Amino acid sequence: MSRPASTRPPGRPPLRRGALTPTLIVVALVVVAFVFFSNVWTDVLWYQQLGFFEVYIRENLARILTFLAGFILMFAAVYASIRLAYRARPVYAPDSDVRDNLSRYQVQLEPVRRVVMIGLPVLFGLFAGSAAASQWQKALLFFNQEQFGQQDPQFGLDISFYLMSLPFLGFVTGFLISVVVVAGVAGILTHYLYGSIRLMERGVFTSRAAQIHLAVSGALFLLLLGANFWLDVYATVQNNSGRWAGALYTDVTAVVPTKSILAVAAVLVAVLFIVAAVIGRWRLPVIGTAMLIITSILAGGVYPWVIQQFQVRPSEQTLEKDYIERNITMTRAAYGLDKVQVQPYKATTTASSGALAKDAQTAANIRLLDPNLVSSAFGQLEQYRPYYQFPKALNVDRYTVDGKVQDTVIAVRELNAEGISSGQQTWYNKHIVYTHGYGVVAAKGNKFTADGKPDFLLSGIPSSGALGNDSSYQPRIYFGESTTDYSVVGAPEGSPHREQDRPAGRDGSTDTQYTFTGNGGPNVGNWFNRLLYSMKFQSSDLLLSDGVNEKSQILYDRTPRERVEKVAPYLTVDGNAYPAVVDGRVKWIVDGYTTSQYYPYSQQQQLQNITADTQTSTGRAAVLPNSTVNYIRNSVKATVDAYDGSVTLYAWDDQDPILKSWQKIFPSTIKPYSEMSGQLMSHVRYPEDLFKVQRELLGRYHVTNPDRFYNNNDAWSVPNDPTVNVSPGTEAPKQPPFYMSLQMPGQTKPAFQLTSSFIPQVVNGNARNILYGFLSADSDAGSTKGVKGEGYGQLRLLQLPTDSQVPGPGQAQNKFNSDPEVSRELNLLRQGASDVLNGNLLTLPVGGGLLYVQPVYLKSTGETSYPTLQRVLVAFGDKVGFAATLDEALDELFGGDSGAAAGDSDNNGQTPNKPTTPTSPKPGVEDAKADLKAALDEANKAITDGQAALAKGDFAGYGAQQSKLAAALKKALDAEARLVVTPAPSASPSPTATPTPTPTQGG
């Protein structure tokens, strides 16, 4: 029978079947390897460009070494266990039936036995190595630890043992126990598979080799278990499962002794296992193991429970007193509360005339601009282009203007790539042309213009104002909180500009172009780097575009918090970075914290929960990680240059032992704060998240007497934000802390402070909303190079009597909302479909009591509308004042003369002076009624005409009618003020009198 002719062309070699699959596998592996390499190499370029290559190398070296250590230990133990069990397999099985069953398993396993014996240890090694690599920080701190110089009250060991040694030793012990267990199980399975261990009718058969293997594994496990019991003795001071943190009475009298006994017992039973392996008798180790289990149940569980239930509970306050005192002392030290200055403050609720005379400087600096509400005003007045934007919440800082420190609301115009028109949303425009924002905008915190707009200190394009101009600082913002996409910038000298820069002038008719000249990112001028970054960002345009040249740099990871977190991975970064004009540059100032959860006797807290407030719930500030801490220090102040992204770390708390340890690990990355310039020092402030943590703890730990602390009848809570409207049954977020210039009682001059207040403890959502405490943190670091202000960081607590009736923020807001005269004027403001917005409610300890100040904003409908400050609400005790300016409102509140001039006192000309007793009241009333009716008619006509213009698309006409509407509403308010005015009394009012509230007289 003839074969069919071959279809293969003559001379071509025969096809090798099966070659395609290996080829595809090899190609896939090469691609994966190159992708991995591209990510690694681009990280190398990023860290090298930024000058923190040391961090990248040492961090990854630590990860690799801990991974290898974990991998090698697990691999070696599992492989050795399997190999030894295999080599010790018996030649013959005990009987034919078992031999037949085992033979089937062994025959199936034999073709892949070598692969399994290597692959299984490798698999377990990879898991173990990954677990070990995640603990690289514990390893580095253990080998580079610094002493605290303080001892714990139970064992007398240095605090560093608990923060840097015990966590690492606990990890190592737990890891080794896992290695022994996994290796032991692998060895047992191998012994069983090859017949060294058999289940028989007469019992369990084990070969001599298997017995020795089991004995050694059991002994190692028990030795490590004993070490773990011994470490548990010291870990009792870190216990947070009880009512108070630390080793309490039951721990000290029951748990510590029993853990010590169990540690010794575990070692003794381990010795019995070794003896059994030698002599071949297992009765003693079996009995010892049973006794150890029984002892651990009785001594480790039952005995402490009996002590707690029948000895501690009946006399808990007495027996736990010393341990509660330890908890109070150590918690206050761990959170920096041990140096709080507590001052009794018997606040008055009587608003007497001239009460603010001694607080004139504070009154002049009271902030009226709410940084959370005026963002849209900044946007409408200062945005200029749709590809610019301002953040949701602006920042409060202070600048020296004409020799005086001025509280300032500040922001930068950041790039908004989404503001580019849809037809221009090309890769070239988004990454080559639109690359940066432009300019700083700052306004006075204590003053506004006559029509309610911010009073700018620095504004416009080009920038101009009291704080400088474009020639005094670099206005371009390449790195910011909202800049998350990458840009390609830079070009050879003489090349045409391609970056959109700014409007050419105030008329905004043309735009200028610009080329980045700094050193802000890795170079992508060569094809190799371009290819790597094209893979990193999955963009073929980056590889092929002619917008990339030999001098091009790629800017990415551009948010300040992100950059600091990458160069200092051991820090927890504050949720709010803020910009400042420093030494001719815009710098983002970022606070970094060193934290731990291992401080002895210190109460643990969840960072995310404890720092949550209105700012985080609305997305105005970043949320901190959901990590547990019981020690925190503001150890680092970092700056990120908004132009070139350069990061500088300063050791702010240079006495912090944890920071000292990290400085040993990364010696060249952190500078001493003595190198901080005077201008930078003048903009440093007390960090918000640290303050939130401290105020939450201080709600309980302001009490230092153990008996009072045990009773918990003097606990405080941070009040909920009364300006937030929530649905019924939903709890409002906490009130955020506020920055302001303030002279606290006992201080000789005002200082920039971060403040918060306290009310009685909230239980099941119920609390008396009266004020129990007021906390401030001095944020004035001075303006001398490398020298901290003497008072910086000082926490001051004003403690009001427990029988105090000073209204809390919630009560003050309720008074504002329910006052009939205030409601009438607010209703007038709401006419014309306008919204009335309550600004932040500030609390100030002035006039011998507590003053509440709240700006009131008016915002009309329409996409281009923005809030303008129209009125100011003030309260002191039970009295309420409401006027067009803070200065007027304070005078109304304090009997016609507050004794001090507010920062907006120059604005009093925008409203008529308060009238004296009218000579003919009735005709004045009639005139006021007529004026009110005419004003309302004008307002209604402006609304109607404005809607008609809007329907026609006549936006200019609509804007003109809105201006007429505002003027008409102002006339209506003035007319109503004349309508409800009462004749002034002939004699001075009594300081304790409470006259009927009116818009022109204290309520």
Side-chain angles (χ1 to χ4, degrees):
M1 184 176 181
S2 62
R3 295 184 178 182
S6 174
T7 58
R8 185 175 69 248
R12 179 175 296 181
L15 293 175
R16 298 165 62 183
R17 298 185 182 275
L20 179 61
T21 300
T23 302
L24 292 176
I25 293 174
V26 170
V27 170
L29 290 175
V30 169
V31 170
V32 170
F34 191 74
V35 170
F36 176 76
F37 171 77
S38 67
N39 286 322
V40 171
W41 191 248
T42 52
D43 282 344
V44 168
L45 295 176
W46 189 89
Y47 279 95
Q48 280 184 330
Q49 184 276 324
L50 203 56
F52 285 87
F53 188 56
E54 174 187 79
V55 174
Y56 181 80
I57 288 295
R58 298 198 176 196
E59 176 186 346
N60 285 282
L61 186 61
R63 289 181 184 273
I64 292 171
L65 290 177
T66 51
F67 174 87
L68 289 176
F71 176 86
I72 291 171
L73 280 173
M74 182 63 79
F75 173 84
V78 175
Y79 178 78
S81 183
I82 294 174
R83 187 68 181 171
L84 289 172
Y86 176 75
R87 292 181 63 182
R89 68 191 184 281
V91 177
Y92 300 106
D95 58 62
S96 59
D97 293 336
V98 173
R99 183 173 62 247
D100 291 341
N101 291 329
L102 290 176
S103 296
R104 286 197 298 269
Y105 293 132
Q106 293 169 9
V107 167
Q108 293 176 359
L109 179 64
E110 189 59 30
V112 292
R113 177 179 57 81
R114 294 180 182 275
V115 175
V116 171
M117 291 182 67
I118 297 295
L120 200 62
V122 168
L123 181 63
F124 281 111
L126 291 175
F127 283 117
S130 298
S134 66
Q135 305 297 316
W136 66 276
Q137 292 194 15
K138 290 180 181 178
L140 287 179
L141 284 177
F142 175 76
F143 291 108
N144 296 276
Q145 59 185 281
E146 285 282 326
Q147 297 292 299
F148 272 69
Q150 303 169 11
Q151 287 74 41
D152 78 282
Q154 177 60 36
F155 301 107
L157 298 175
D158 192 88
I159 301 297
S160 62
F161 170 78
Y162 299 97
L163 270 66
M164 304 181 200
S165 294
L166 191 57
F168 178 73
L169 295 176
F171 160 70
V172 170
T173 304
F175 181 83
L176 291 177
I177 288 176
S178 300
V179 169
V180 170
V181 169
V182 172
V185 171
I188 291 172
L189 291 176
T190 306
H191 279 298
Y192 176 78
L193 183 63
Y194 286 94
S196 296
I197 299 176
R198 285 291 86 203
L199 301 177
M200 304 174 62
E201 293 181 359
R202 293 171 295 176
V204 180
F205 166 79
T206 54
S207 67
R208 179 64 177 160
Q211 290 179 5
I212 295 175
H213 195 156
L214 289 173
V216 172
S217 297
L220 289 174
F221 175 80
L222 288 167
L223 287 173
L224 291 170
L225 188 63
N228 199 56
F229 281 137
W230 189 256
L231 294 178
D232 284 345
V233 170
Y234 298 102
T236 54
V237 299
Q238 300 169 330
N239 180 26
N240 267 266
S241 61
R243 290 182 59 187
W244 308 279
L248 305 180
Y249 182 86
T250 299
D251 296 311
V252 172
T253 58
V255 175
V256 169
T258 55
K259 290 287 186 180
S260 302
I261 293 171
L262 288 171
V264 175
V267 173
L268 293 177
V269 177
V271 173
L272 292 179
F273 269 86
I274 299 297
V275 172
V278 175
I279 66 177
R281 296 181 180 179
W282 291 87
R283 186 174 182 179
L284 286 178
V286 170
I287 294 174
T289 301
M291 293 298 297
L292 180 62
I293 294 173
I294 295 172
T295 304
S296 63
I297 294 173
L298 295 177
V302 176
Y303 176 59
W305 181 84
V306 171
I307 294 294
Q308 181 67 30
Q309 294 298 317
F310 299 103
Q311 186 173 352
V312 175
R313 284 190 65 182
S315 307
E316 187 175 53
Q317 184 170 356
T318 302
L319 294 179
E320 300 286 23
K321 181 177 180 178
D322 291 341
Y323 306 104
I324 294 174
E325 187 171 10
R326 291 179 179 180
N327 172 247
I328 295 171
T329 301
M330 300 298 281
T331 298
R332 288 171 62 90
Y335 288 97
L337 302 176
D338 49 341
K339 296 182 176 61
V340 176
Q341 291 183 2
V342 181
Q343 178 179 348
Y345 189 64
K346 191 171 178 59
T348 181
T349 56
T350 302
S352 57
S353 179
L356 300 185
K358 294 182 179 180
D359 299 291
Q361 289 180 287
T362 297
N365 284 307
I366 295 176
R367 180 169 52 78
L368 295 174
L369 288 191
D370 183 348
N372 299 320
L373 288 182
V374 298
S375 176
S376 57
F378 272 49
Q380 289 298 320
L381 298 172
E382 290 293 325
Q383 184 171 319
Y384 285 92
R385 289 290 187 269
Y387 50 81
Y388 291 145
Q389 66 178 335
F390 289 99
K392 289 182 180 179
L394 311 186
N395 284 282
V396 179
D397 201 351
R398 68 281 192 202
Y399 287 83
T400 301
V401 180
D402 296 330
K404 296 181 180 179
V405 177
Q406 170 74 58
D407 282 10
T408 306
V409 176
I410 188 170
V412 297
R413 290 187 199 87
E414 289 197 49
L415 177 68
N416 176 25
E418 300 304 318
I420 307 171
S421 62
S422 58
Q424 300 296 317
Q425 291 277 352
T426 64
W427 180 90
Y428 192 91
N429 276 338
K430 292 178 68 174
H431 299 284
I432 302 291
V433 177
Y434 295 95
T435 59
H436 60 277
Y438 194 93
V440 173
V441 178
K444 296 178 181 178
N446 63 342
K447 192 174 181 180
F448 52 95
T449 64
D451 55 353
K453 298 176 184 176
D455 188 358
F456 291 110
L457 289 165
L458 185 62
S459 61
I461 295 181
S463 300
S464 63
L467 300 186
N469 52 52
D470 280 7
S471 62
S472 63
Y473 80 103
Q474 171 55 262
R476 293 168 183 86
I477 311 297
Y478 281 88
F479 295 83
E481 291 183 297
S482 301
T483 312
T484 56
D485 208 348
Y486 70 91
S487 291
V488 179
V489 299
E493 187 175 351
S495 299
H497 301 307
R498 285 179 295 198
E499 298 177 46
Q500 191 79 3
D501 193 32
R502 62 168 176 82
R506 293 189 177 273
D507 59 352
S509 57
T510 58
D511 291 334
T512 61
Q513 306 297 308
Y514 182 74
T515 298
F516 179 77
T517 59
N519 180 20
N523 180 272
V524 286
N526 60 72
W527 277 97
F528 184 68
N529 285 1
R530 288 175 68 175
L531 176 62
L532 294 180
Y533 277 105
S534 296
M535 297 187 66
K536 181 180 181 68
F537 294 111
Q538 300 179 9
S539 171
S540 59
D541 296 291
L542 180 58
L543 180 64
L544 303 175
S545 174
D546 63 356
V548 183
N549 55 67
E550 66 271 18
K551 294 294 184 179
S552 290
Q553 304 171 38
I554 186 166
L555 312 182
Y556 62 100
D557 293 339
R558 298 166 73 178
T559 64
R561 295 183 72 250
E562 185 178 20
R563 294 178 80 78
V564 174
E565 286 171 343
K566 288 189 69 171
V567 302
Y570 49 87
L571 293 179
T572 300
V573 176
D574 191 89
N576 187 17
Y578 61 99
V581 181
V582 175
D583 303 321
R585 310 282 283 204
V586 178
K587 300 276 190 178
W588 293 97
I589 301 177
V590 186
D591 288 286
Y593 309 116
T594 46
T595 62
S596 176
Q597 59 177 323
Y598 302 112
Y599 201 91
Y601 278 100
S602 179
Q603 204 72 32
Q604 289 186 352
Q605 297 291 332
Q606 292 289 332
L607 267 185
Q608 188 177 90
N609 296 334
I610 203 172
T611 57
D613 61 8
T614 305
Q615 300 295 87
T616 58
S617 64
T618 56
R620 295 167 181 158
V623 178
L624 291 192
N626 190 25
S627 56
T628 301
V629 302
N630 67 0
Y631 172 91
I632 186 169
R633 290 291 185 271
N634 178 208
S635 53
V636 171
K637 298 285 186 183
T639 64
V640 178
D641 194 295
Y643 183 73
D644 61 19
S646 56
V647 179
T648 307
L649 305 177
Y650 297 99
W652 186 249
D653 187 352
D654 53 4
Q655 299 305 308
D656 175 35
I658 297 181
L659 180 65
K660 287 183 178 180
S661 298
W662 286 115
Q663 286 181 292
K664 289 172 65 176
I665 297 165
F666 304 118
S668 65
T669 61
I670 305 177
K671 297 181 178 181
Y673 74 84
S674 59
E675 295 186 21
M676 296 174 69
S677 70
Q679 282 196 26
L680 178 57
M681 295 291 288
S682 68
H683 294 289
V684 164
R685 66 188 193 187
Y686 201 82
E688 289 181 73
D689 284 326
L690 173 61
F691 187 77
K692 292 178 190 178
V693 172
Q694 290 175 321
R695 72 173 181 177
E696 190 72 27
L697 268 296
L698 205 58
R700 286 196 66 197
Y701 286 89
H702 68 277
V703 178
T704 55
N705 180 280
D707 293 326
R708 288 177 56 212
F709 190 89
Y710 174 85
N711 294 326
N712 199 36
N713 54 12
D714 191 22
W716 302 341
S717 292
V718 177
N720 293 337
D721 193 339
T723 66
V724 176
N725 296 320
V726 296
S727 57
T730 304
E731 186 177 359
K734 294 175 184 176
Q735 189 179 42
F738 298 117
Y739 287 103
M740 65 181 81
S741 288
L742 174 68
Q743 182 175 334
M744 289 285 287
Q747 284 188 290
T748 58
K749 61 180 181 179
F752 195 61
Q753 314 259 11
L754 184 57
T755 65
S756 186
S757 55
F758 295 100
I759 60 173
Q761 185 177 28
V762 177
V763 180
N764 297 324
N766 299 315
R768 295 175 62 213
N769 207 288
I770 58 175
L771 213 63
Y772 267 18
F774 182 86
L775 178 67
S776 73
D778 194 320
S779 296
D780 189 355
S783 58
T784 303
K785 178 182 178 180
V787 179
K788 290 184 186 178
E790 184 177 352
Y792 175 86
Q794 179 63 61
L795 295 174
R796 296 180 175 86
L797 176 63
L798 302 182
Q799 194 163 354
L800 280 68
T802 54
D803 59 353
S804 168
Q805 297 300 317
V806 176
Q811 279 194 18
Q813 189 67 58
N814 287 336
K815 289 180 184 296
F816 292 155
N817 296 340
S818 60
D819 186 276
E821 301 303 330
V822 172
S823 297
R824 176 158 44 185
E825 290 210 34
L826 293 181
N827 286 334
L828 276 175
L829 289 173
R830 291 188 181 99
Q831 293 192 32
S834 297
D835 294 328
V836 173
L837 307 176
N838 291 326
N840 45 206
L841 184 60
L842 303 180
T843 308
L844 299 96
V846 294
L850 276 301
L851 172 69
Y852 290 97
V853 177
Q854 183 176 60
V856 178
Y857 292 83
L858 182 66
K859 183 179 181 181
S860 62
T861 57
E863 295 183 359
T864 59
S865 62
Y866 58 88
T868 57
L869 198 153
Q870 295 296 323
R871 292 291 184 270
V872 181
L873 281 161
V874 292
F876 194 96
D878 293 327
K879 292 184 66 176
V880 173
F882 188 50
T885 66
L886 175 61
D887 194 61
E888 286 183 328
L890 292 176
D891 284 342
E892 291 177 9
L893 188 65
F894 291 98
D897 181 14
S898 67
D904 65 346
S905 57
D906 293 341
N907 284 18
N908 284 347
Q910 68 176 331
T911 57
N913 293 328
K914 291 180 287 186
T916 57
T917 305
T919 55
S920 53
K922 188 171 182 179
V925 171
E926 295 301 327
D927 291 343
K929 287 181 178 180
D931 291 345
L932 177 58
K933 183 178 183 303
L936 292 178
D937 289 341
E938 290 180 21
N940 288 329
K941 185 176 185 303
I943 294 171
T944 303
D945 294 345
Q947 293 299 324
L950 191 61
K952 297 177 183 178
D954 182 5
F955 295 103
Y958 175 75
Q961 294 302 323
Q962 289 295 303
S963 299
K964 290 182 180 180
L965 174 61
L969 289 176
K970 182 177 179 302
K971 290 179 182 178
L973 289 171
D974 293 340
E976 195 199 19
R978 288 159 36 218
L979 182 64
V980 299
V981 72
T982 58
S986 57
S988 299
S990 168
T992 59
T994 307
T996 301
T998 71
T1000 55
Q1001 189 172 330

